[in-house]
Amino acid sequence: MATKQRGRPRSFDRATALEQAIMAFWEHGYEATSIADLTRSMGIGAPSLYAAFGDKKALFSAAVEEYGHTYGAFLGRALDEEPTARRGVARMLREAAAEYTAPGRPPGCLVISAATNATEASADVVAALREQREANVRAMEQAIEADKAAGELPRDADPRALARFTAVVIQGMSQQARDGASREELEAVAELALRAWPGGGPAGR
């Protein structure tokens, strides 16, 4: 009589599980998302989670990295693909209005909102997200500096202030999206913000 073969543990799709982790962290934030929340949303047990991703901080780090390659990629892409910093920022702000209010996923930006008001135990998580946001500011500042050197902006333009101003607007748009602002409302904010740039007026699309 043939013996019954022991079934192998059900495997899971790592990419799909990571996507579900992104959604959980994005919706509820790092600290408020428990391991139980993660295993439930990812459809795996705690042992599988630890085996595949490590601890919660390691999973969050992987989620943030993947978010940067997918949902958050529009920020860097706008600067890289547009011919001037001003046009890059204009595209960035307009796309933020659409991305932060897109249906079917949490509003706002994971990198901006996931570690708000975190405790001391999550200080390294907070610091990592802060550095990522600061890297975005530096990238904008460098692009604005290049425009200024090329004569695209007036000599008295302040690249650091413009980059910081843009970051403030983007972070505010993220929070407003989480508070229920619509895409149209955030697009209006983007157009107003662009008028604060040297030269004023809407940037070309």
Side-chain angles (χ1 to χ4, degrees):
M1 179 177 177
T3 58
K4 186 176 181 180
Q5 192 172 26
R6 186 183 298 273
R8 289 165 54 174
R10 186 176 63 177
S11 62
F12 68 96
D13 185 306
R14 190 180 191 280
T16 299
L18 184 57
E19 172 73 7
Q20 294 305 316
I22 290 172
M23 293 298 155
F25 285 128
W26 194 351
E27 177 68 29
H28 304 293
Y30 173 74
E31 288 201 346
T33 305
S34 67
I35 291 294
D37 294 330
L38 290 165
T39 56
R40 183 167 54 252
S41 63
M42 296 165 76
I44 60 176
S48 294
L49 185 155
Y50 290 125
F53 298 102
D55 61 12
K56 178 181 169 180
K57 285 184 179 180
L59 173 57
F60 182 71
S61 179
V64 170
E65 181 177 3
E66 181 63 16
Y67 176 91
H69 293 315
T70 54
Y71 302 105
F74 73 93
L75 293 168
R77 191 164 55 233
L79 281 183
D80 290 341
E81 295 180 357
E82 294 299 322
T84 66
R86 188 168 190 274
R87 288 187 61 147
V89 166
R91 174 176 161 182
M92 186 186 301
L93 292 175
R94 289 163 181 156
E95 290 188 5
E99 293 289 338
Y100 292 170
T101 58
R105 64 192 197 217
C109 171
L110 180 150
V111 175
I112 292 171
S113 63
T116 304
N117 297 325
T119 63
E120 185 62 30
S122 302
D124 52 344
V125 173
V126 173
L129 293 181
R130 181 171 59 243
E131 174 52 32
Q132 190 163 331
R133 294 191 297 269
E134 287 299 305
N136 290 334
V137 175
R138 290 193 296 271
M140 286 189 284
E141 183 178 354
Q142 289 170 2
I144 296 166
E145 285 275 16
D147 269 17
K148 183 177 176 180
E152 293 285 348
L153 291 170
R155 294 175 62 184
D156 62 351
D158 187 336
R160 182 178 295 273
L162 281 172
R164 186 68 65 185
F165 168 75
T166 303
V168 168
V169 173
I170 289 172
Q171 290 179 28
M173 290 171 71
S174 172
Q175 184 57 53
Q176 284 292 299
R178 291 185 73 83
D179 286 346
S182 69
R183 173 177 177 172
E184 291 73 20
E185 289 171 325
L186 295 185
E187 286 176 337
V189 169
E191 298 308 319
L192 285 173
L194 292 170
R195 294 181 184 277
W197 274 61
R205 294 181 183 271

